[in-house]
Amino acid sequence: VMDVDMEQVVAMREKTKYSYTAYVVWASVQALRQFPVLNAWIEEDRILVKKSIHMGVAVAIEGGLVVPVIRNAERKSLGEIDQEINALSGKARAGQLTPDDMKGSTFTVTNSGVFGSLFFTPIINLPEVAVLGMGKVAETPVVREGKVTASNVMYLSLSYDHRAVDGATAVQFLHAVKIQLEQPG
């Protein structure tokens, strides 16, 4: 679990209106480029590192969760990612996802913050090797230069399979996501 100062993202959202999920998916794509071992599947006794990033985004629907896929997310802008999340979420809530919409993800982002949680332990979407969970963005007391001030903070939780990813690499990946979100431009 890592805390993220979301002040810059909050300011950017006032102009873009993109969802927090879109920002986290975009930041995750950037970090997966640096740590491709997390963009992988485990099949039997093999680790298959994938070249393309097919980002699963968990969507709550009546009766549970579905995970539609943003294909080739590494080729998409933040705006394109946001549009695709909105389109896939709409299809999911309308019961119109096809099996093809939900297969082939190489990494998943899930957001329990929309339900008010600060952080949680997400479950890996097999055969992937990791999943990133988002908590809510909340005004939180932080210490800056020895003074307590309010800032918008979000907690990210990473679950990962130790057969493919060691703890040091996992935490470095999580830190890379944090940096992308704290310095998004």
Side-chain angles (χ1 to χ4, degrees), residues 57-62 64-71 82-103:
V57 179
V59 177
I61 60 171
E62 191 172 317
L65 286 176
V66 292
V67 184
V69 180
I70 300 171
R71 304 215 182 281
D82 186 70
Q83 287 175 346
E84 202 155 337
I85 289 169
N86 289 334
L88 289 168
S89 295
K91 280 178 77 173
R93 291 187 184 106
Q96 298 173 342
L97 287 174
T98 67
D100 283 344
D101 289 330
M102 295 184 289
K103 73 177 181 184

Short mmCIF file of all heavy atoms in Angstrom, two decimals, residues 57-62 64-71 82-103:
data_model
loop_
_atom_site.label_atom_id
_atom_site.label_comp_id
_atom_site.label_asym_id
_atom_site.label_seq_id
_atom_site.Cartn_x
_atom_site.Cartn_y
_atom_site.Cartn_z
N VAL A 57 -10.11 -3.21 -16.52
CA VAL A 57 -10.65 -2.20 -15.60
C VAL A 57 -11.92 -2.79 -14.99
O VAL A 57 -12.91 -3.01 -15.68
CB VAL A 57 -10.96 -0.87 -16.33
CG1 VAL A 57 -11.54 0.14 -15.35
CG2 VAL A 57 -9.70 -0.32 -16.99
N ALA A 58 -11.86 -3.07 -13.70
CA ALA A 58 -13.01 -3.68 -13.02
C ALA A 58 -14.18 -2.70 -12.99
O ALA A 58 -14.01 -1.51 -12.71
CB ALA A 58 -12.63 -4.10 -11.61
N VAL A 59 -15.37 -3.22 -13.29
CA VAL A 59 -16.59 -2.43 -13.30
C VAL A 59 -17.63 -3.15 -12.45
O VAL A 59 -17.90 -4.34 -12.67
CB VAL A 59 -17.14 -2.24 -14.74
CG1 VAL A 59 -18.46 -1.48 -14.72
CG2 VAL A 59 -16.11 -1.55 -15.62
N ALA A 60 -18.21 -2.44 -11.49
CA ALA A 60 -19.27 -3.01 -10.65
C ALA A 60 -20.58 -2.99 -11.43
O ALA A 60 -20.97 -1.96 -11.97
CB ALA A 60 -19.41 -2.23 -9.36
N ILE A 61 -21.23 -4.14 -11.47
CA ILE A 61 -22.56 -4.24 -12.06
C ILE A 61 -23.44 -4.96 -11.05
O ILE A 61 -22.93 -5.50 -10.06
CB ILE A 61 -22.54 -5.01 -13.41
CG1 ILE A 61 -22.01 -6.43 -13.22
CG2 ILE A 61 -21.74 -4.26 -14.45
CD1 ILE A 61 -22.16 -7.32 -14.44
N GLU A 62 -24.72 -4.97 -11.30
CA GLU A 62 -25.60 -5.69 -10.39
C GLU A 62 -25.18 -7.15 -10.37
O GLU A 62 -25.05 -7.79 -11.40
CB GLU A 62 -27.06 -5.57 -10.86
CG GLU A 62 -28.05 -6.07 -9.84
CD GLU A 62 -29.47 -5.77 -10.23
OE1 GLU A 62 -29.74 -4.66 -10.71
OE2 GLU A 62 -30.31 -6.67 -10.05
N GLY A 64 -22.18 -8.26 -9.13
CA GLY A 64 -20.74 -8.51 -9.04
C GLY A 64 -19.89 -7.56 -9.85
O GLY A 64 -20.27 -6.42 -10.11
N LEU A 65 -18.73 -8.07 -10.25
CA LEU A 65 -17.76 -7.28 -11.02
C LEU A 65 -17.52 -7.95 -12.36
O LEU A 65 -17.52 -9.19 -12.45
CB LEU A 65 -16.41 -7.21 -10.29
CG LEU A 65 -16.28 -6.33 -9.08
CD1 LEU A 65 -14.90 -6.49 -8.47
CD2 LEU A 65 -16.53 -4.88 -9.41
N VAL A 66 -17.25 -7.14 -13.36
CA VAL A 66 -16.75 -7.62 -14.65
C VAL A 66 -15.48 -6.83 -14.95
O VAL A 66 -15.27 -5.75 -14.39
CB VAL A 66 -17.78 -7.46 -15.78
CG1 VAL A 66 -18.97 -8.40 -15.57
CG2 VAL A 66 -18.25 -6.03 -15.93
N VAL A 67 -14.65 -7.38 -15.82
CA VAL A 67 -13.38 -6.73 -16.13
C VAL A 67 -13.23 -6.59 -17.65
O VAL A 67 -12.60 -7.41 -18.30
CB VAL A 67 -12.18 -7.49 -15.52
CG1 VAL A 67 -10.88 -6.73 -15.78
CG2 VAL A 67 -12.37 -7.69 -14.02
N PRO A 68 -13.82 -5.53 -18.22
CA PRO A 68 -13.59 -5.28 -19.65
C PRO A 68 -12.15 -4.80 -19.86
O PRO A 68 -11.49 -4.35 -18.92
CB PRO A 68 -14.61 -4.21 -20.00
CG PRO A 68 -14.98 -3.56 -18.73
CD PRO A 68 -14.76 -4.58 -17.64
N VAL A 69 -11.69 -4.89 -21.11
CA VAL A 69 -10.28 -4.69 -21.42
C VAL A 69 -10.08 -3.53 -22.39
O VAL A 69 -10.71 -3.48 -23.45
CB VAL A 69 -9.68 -5.99 -22.01
CG1 VAL A 69 -8.20 -5.81 -22.33
CG2 VAL A 69 -9.88 -7.16 -21.05
N ILE A 70 -9.14 -2.65 -22.03
CA ILE A 70 -8.67 -1.60 -22.93
C ILE A 70 -7.45 -2.18 -23.65
O ILE A 70 -6.40 -2.36 -23.05
CB ILE A 70 -8.28 -0.32 -22.17
CG1 ILE A 70 -9.46 0.23 -21.41
CG2 ILE A 70 -7.69 0.72 -23.13
CD1 ILE A 70 -9.12 1.36 -20.47
N ARG A 71 -7.63 -2.50 -24.91
CA ARG A 71 -6.55 -3.13 -25.68
C ARG A 71 -5.50 -2.10 -26.10
O ARG A 71 -5.83 -0.96 -26.42
CB ARG A 71 -7.13 -3.80 -26.92
CG ARG A 71 -8.20 -4.78 -26.54
CD ARG A 71 -8.28 -6.01 -27.38
NE ARG A 71 -9.38 -6.83 -26.93
CZ ARG A 71 -9.35 -7.63 -25.87
NH1 ARG A 71 -8.27 -7.73 -25.15
NH2 ARG A 71 -10.40 -8.32 -25.52
N ASP A 82 -9.76 7.49 -20.95
CA ASP A 82 -10.98 7.89 -20.27
C ASP A 82 -12.22 7.57 -21.11
O ASP A 82 -13.20 7.02 -20.59
CB ASP A 82 -10.94 9.39 -19.95
CG ASP A 82 -12.12 9.83 -19.11
OD1 ASP A 82 -12.17 9.44 -17.92
OD2 ASP A 82 -12.99 10.54 -19.64
N GLN A 83 -12.18 7.88 -22.39
CA GLN A 83 -13.31 7.58 -23.29
C GLN A 83 -13.60 6.08 -23.33
O GLN A 83 -14.76 5.67 -23.30
CB GLN A 83 -13.03 8.09 -24.70
CG GLN A 83 -13.09 9.58 -24.84
CD GLN A 83 -12.70 10.05 -26.23
OE1 GLN A 83 -12.15 9.31 -27.04
NE2 GLN A 83 -12.98 11.31 -26.52
N GLU A 84 -12.54 5.28 -23.40
CA GLU A 84 -12.74 3.85 -23.48
C GLU A 84 -13.29 3.27 -22.18
O GLU A 84 -14.14 2.39 -22.19
CB GLU A 84 -11.45 3.14 -23.90
CG GLU A 84 -11.72 1.80 -24.49
CD GLU A 84 -10.65 1.32 -25.45
OE1 GLU A 84 -9.89 2.12 -26.00
OE2 GLU A 84 -10.59 0.08 -25.61
N ILE A 85 -12.81 3.79 -21.04
CA ILE A 85 -13.36 3.36 -19.75
C ILE A 85 -14.85 3.67 -19.70
O ILE A 85 -15.66 2.82 -19.30
CB ILE A 85 -12.62 4.02 -18.57
CG1 ILE A 85 -11.21 3.45 -18.43
CG2 ILE A 85 -13.40 3.84 -17.26
CD1 ILE A 85 -10.32 4.22 -17.45
N ASN A 86 -15.22 4.87 -20.11
CA ASN A 86 -16.64 5.26 -20.09
C ASN A 86 -17.47 4.37 -21.01
O ASN A 86 -18.57 3.94 -20.63
CB ASN A 86 -16.80 6.73 -20.47
CG ASN A 86 -16.30 7.67 -19.40
OD1 ASN A 86 -16.27 7.33 -18.22
ND2 ASN A 86 -15.88 8.86 -19.80
N ALA A 87 -16.96 4.10 -22.21
CA ALA A 87 -17.71 3.27 -23.16
C ALA A 87 -17.86 1.85 -22.64
O ALA A 87 -18.96 1.27 -22.68
CB ALA A 87 -17.01 3.27 -24.52
N LEU A 88 -16.78 1.26 -22.13
CA LEU A 88 -16.84 -0.11 -21.63
C LEU A 88 -17.70 -0.21 -20.37
O LEU A 88 -18.45 -1.18 -20.21
CB LEU A 88 -15.43 -0.65 -21.37
CG LEU A 88 -14.60 -0.93 -22.63
CD1 LEU A 88 -13.14 -1.16 -22.26
CD2 LEU A 88 -15.16 -2.13 -23.40
N SER A 89 -17.61 0.78 -19.49
CA SER A 89 -18.44 0.78 -18.28
C SER A 89 -19.91 0.87 -18.65
O SER A 89 -20.75 0.19 -18.05
CB SER A 89 -18.06 1.95 -17.38
OG SER A 89 -16.75 1.82 -16.90
N GLY A 90 -20.22 1.72 -19.63
CA GLY A 90 -21.61 1.83 -20.09
C GLY A 90 -22.13 0.52 -20.66
O GLY A 90 -23.25 0.10 -20.35
N LYS A 91 -21.31 -0.13 -21.48
CA LYS A 91 -21.70 -1.43 -22.03
C LYS A 91 -21.90 -2.45 -20.90
O LYS A 91 -22.85 -3.24 -20.94
CB LYS A 91 -20.62 -1.96 -23.00
CG LYS A 91 -20.69 -1.36 -24.38
CD LYS A 91 -19.57 -1.89 -25.27
CE LYS A 91 -19.86 -3.29 -25.77
NZ LYS A 91 -18.86 -3.74 -26.77
N ALA A 92 -21.01 -2.41 -19.90
CA ALA A 92 -21.11 -3.36 -18.79
C ALA A 92 -22.41 -3.16 -18.02
O ALA A 92 -23.13 -4.13 -17.74
CB ALA A 92 -19.91 -3.21 -17.85
N ARG A 93 -22.72 -1.93 -17.69
CA ARG A 93 -23.92 -1.65 -16.90
C ARG A 93 -25.20 -1.91 -17.69
O ARG A 93 -26.24 -2.17 -17.10
CB ARG A 93 -23.85 -0.23 -16.37
CG ARG A 93 -22.75 -0.12 -15.30
CD ARG A 93 -22.72 1.22 -14.61
NE ARG A 93 -21.57 1.24 -13.71
CZ ARG A 93 -20.44 1.91 -13.93
NH1 ARG A 93 -20.30 2.65 -15.00
NH2 ARG A 93 -19.45 1.85 -13.06
N ALA A 94 -25.10 -1.85 -19.02
CA ALA A 94 -26.26 -2.14 -19.86
C ALA A 94 -26.36 -3.62 -20.22
O ALA A 94 -27.27 -4.03 -20.93
CB ALA A 94 -26.18 -1.31 -21.15
N GLY A 95 -25.41 -4.43 -19.71
CA GLY A 95 -25.41 -5.86 -20.00
C GLY A 95 -25.04 -6.17 -21.44
O GLY A 95 -25.44 -7.21 -21.97
N GLN A 96 -24.25 -5.31 -22.08
CA GLN A 96 -23.93 -5.47 -23.49
C GLN A 96 -22.49 -5.86 -23.78
O GLN A 96 -22.08 -5.85 -24.94
CB GLN A 96 -24.27 -4.17 -24.24
CG GLN A 96 -25.73 -3.81 -24.17
CD GLN A 96 -26.01 -2.43 -24.77
OE1 GLN A 96 -25.13 -1.61 -24.93
NE2 GLN A 96 -27.28 -2.19 -25.07
N LEU A 97 -21.71 -6.20 -22.75
CA LEU A 97 -20.34 -6.64 -23.00
C LEU A 97 -20.36 -7.99 -23.70
O LEU A 97 -21.18 -8.85 -23.40
CB LEU A 97 -19.56 -6.78 -21.69
CG LEU A 97 -19.13 -5.50 -20.99
CD1 LEU A 97 -18.49 -5.83 -19.65
CD2 LEU A 97 -18.19 -4.67 -21.85
N THR A 98 -19.43 -8.16 -24.61
CA THR A 98 -19.25 -9.45 -25.28
C THR A 98 -18.11 -10.20 -24.60
O THR A 98 -17.29 -9.58 -23.90
CB THR A 98 -18.92 -9.26 -26.77
OG1 THR A 98 -17.62 -8.66 -26.87
CG2 THR A 98 -19.96 -8.39 -27.48
N PRO A 99 -18.00 -11.49 -24.81
CA PRO A 99 -16.85 -12.23 -24.25
C PRO A 99 -15.52 -11.62 -24.71
O PRO A 99 -14.57 -11.56 -23.93
CB PRO A 99 -17.05 -13.64 -24.77
CG PRO A 99 -18.54 -13.77 -24.92
CD PRO A 99 -18.98 -12.41 -25.40
N ASP A 100 -15.44 -11.15 -25.95
CA ASP A 100 -14.21 -10.54 -26.45
C ASP A 100 -13.85 -9.26 -25.69
O ASP A 100 -12.68 -8.92 -25.56
CB ASP A 100 -14.31 -10.24 -27.95
CG ASP A 100 -14.14 -11.48 -28.80
OD1 ASP A 100 -13.66 -12.52 -28.29
OD2 ASP A 100 -14.50 -11.41 -29.99
N ASP A 101 -14.87 -8.54 -25.20
CA ASP A 101 -14.62 -7.32 -24.42
C ASP A 101 -13.91 -7.62 -23.11
O ASP A 101 -13.32 -6.72 -22.51
CB ASP A 101 -15.94 -6.60 -24.09
CG ASP A 101 -16.60 -5.95 -25.28
OD1 ASP A 101 -15.90 -5.52 -26.22
OD2 ASP A 101 -17.85 -5.86 -25.27
N MET A 102 -14.00 -8.87 -22.65
CA MET A 102 -13.49 -9.20 -21.31
C MET A 102 -12.34 -10.21 -21.32
O MET A 102 -11.99 -10.73 -20.27
CB MET A 102 -14.63 -9.74 -20.45
CG MET A 102 -15.70 -8.72 -20.20
SD MET A 102 -16.99 -9.29 -19.10
CE MET A 102 -17.83 -10.46 -20.15
N LYS A 103 -11.72 -10.45 -22.47
CA LYS A 103 -10.64 -11.44 -22.44
C LYS A 103 -9.31 -10.81 -22.85
O LYS A 103 -9.28 -9.83 -23.58
CB LYS A 103 -10.97 -12.64 -23.31
CG LYS A 103 -10.91 -12.42 -24.78
CD LYS A 103 -11.19 -13.73 -25.50
CE LYS A 103 -11.11 -13.51 -27.00
NZ LYS A 103 -11.46 -14.68 -27.74
#
